[in-house]
Amino acid sequence: MPDLPDLIGSGRPLDWLFTGDSITHGLHHTRGLRGYVEHVAERLRGELGRVHDVVVNTGVSGWTAGDLLGALDHHALRFRPDVASVALGMNDAVEGPDGRQRFAADLSTIVEHLQHSGAAVVVHTPTTTGPGAERPRPDLAAYAQVCRDVAERHGALLVDHHAHWTDRFGDEPPTPWLDDPIHPGGRGQWEMARLTLQRLGLDDAGSELARLSL
């Protein structure tokens, strides 16, 4: 398994894969603003001048870890990415405590397959939610912990959005960062991008992304 900082610092062009559910897919709820994957791509290929890097987004609205696992060849492995980012758990958490074990197993298998293919893997925890969701997710924090556990067990980089959002809002709903009770809006997607770039070691307080006002 490649070391991510060494990989990024190697100077060679990299293929980046981002996959997951609707939050990665980035449709509708951004209201015409960029999703977090687009922000990361702008930072990589624009600000950092990595013009030969390729960024692919195969997120699908509504997907669970089981859905991605069943389509992993088409949505991930065939691209043979250097870096593979996986953001799941929001839809899996609808199953509550009974679904945790299956989610852990499916996410672990996804990470294993990606690492076996030669990718450096990044695992994201789901963001937090607001009140009024059509399908409640009271067990979401436990699913975020599953993501942490899987990342630690496999030596994957963790981007802990759930902790970041919880630190920011505490027990209050994260309404300013949401478009609806589940989906991050433009500000929430920007926050996701900032945290992702920080964990990748690619953030810079002087970048245009850091100065955006949303």
Side-chain angles (χ1 to χ4, degrees), residues 148-170:
R148 296 181 190 110
D149 293 342
V150 168
E152 182 177 11
R153 185 161 60 250
H154 294 286
L157 182 72
L158 177 71
V159 183
D160 199 344
H161 303 291
H162 196 276
H164 177 57
W165 287 45
T166 300
D167 288 345
R168 168 62 178 80
F169 291 100

Side-chain angles (χ1 to χ4, degrees), residues 47-82:
E47 292 187 345
L48 297 178
R50 300 180 62 99
V51 296
H52 298 298
D53 282 16
V54 174
V55 180
V56 177
N57 182 351
T58 66
V60 179
S61 296
W63 267 21
T64 64
D67 292 321
L68 177 59
L69 182 57
L72 197 62
D73 284 339
H74 184 74
H75 279 261
L77 297 177
R78 70 187 176 104
F79 298 105
R80 299 192 63 81
D82 298 294

Side-chain angles (χ1 to χ4, degrees), residues 33-207:
L33 299 175
R34 283 176 169 158
Y36 81 92
V37 178
E38 294 172 298
H39 283 303
V40 171
E42 170 67 12
R43 176 69 177 147
L44 289 169
R45 305 187 71 246
E47 292 187 345
L48 297 178
R50 300 180 62 99
V51 296
H52 298 298
D53 282 16
V54 174
V55 180
V56 177
N57 182 351
T58 66
V60 179
S61 296
W63 267 21
T64 64
D67 292 321
L68 177 59
L69 182 57
L72 197 62
D73 284 339
H74 184 74
H75 279 261
L77 297 177
R78 70 187 176 104
F79 298 105
R80 299 192 63 81
D82 298 294
V83 183
S85 167
V86 181
L88 292 162
M90 186 63 75
N91 298 313
D92 303 83
V94 172
E95 298 299 322
D98 292 342
R100 285 186 217 161
Q101 186 173 358
R102 180 170 61 252
F103 175 59
D106 289 345
L107 184 60
S108 289
T109 303
I110 289 167
V111 172
E112 288 169 0
H113 282 306
L114 288 168
Q115 289 180 332
H116 184 71
S117 77
V121 178
V122 181
V123 174
H124 301 251
T125 61
T127 54
T128 59
T129 60
E134 183 178 346
R135 295 188 297 171
R137 295 158 171 83
D139 206 38
L140 187 60
Y143 279 74
Q145 186 59 47
V146 169
C147 295
R148 296 181 190 110
D149 293 342
V150 168
E152 182 177 11
R153 185 161 60 250
H154 294 286
L157 182 72
L158 177 71
V159 183
D160 199 344
H161 303 291
H162 196 276
H164 177 57
W165 287 45
T166 300
D167 288 345
R168 168 62 178 80
F169 291 100
D171 294 331
E172 297 297 319
T175 305
W177 292 3
L178 293 173
D179 181 63
D180 71 5
I182 300 299
H183 298 91
R187 174 60 189 269
Q189 291 276 352
W190 178 78
E191 292 287 348
M192 293 181 69
R194 289 289 308 282
L195 187 63
T196 300
L197 289 167
Q198 287 172 17
R199 294 292 292 123
L200 290 170
L202 296 172
D203 62 318
D204 184 339
S207 76

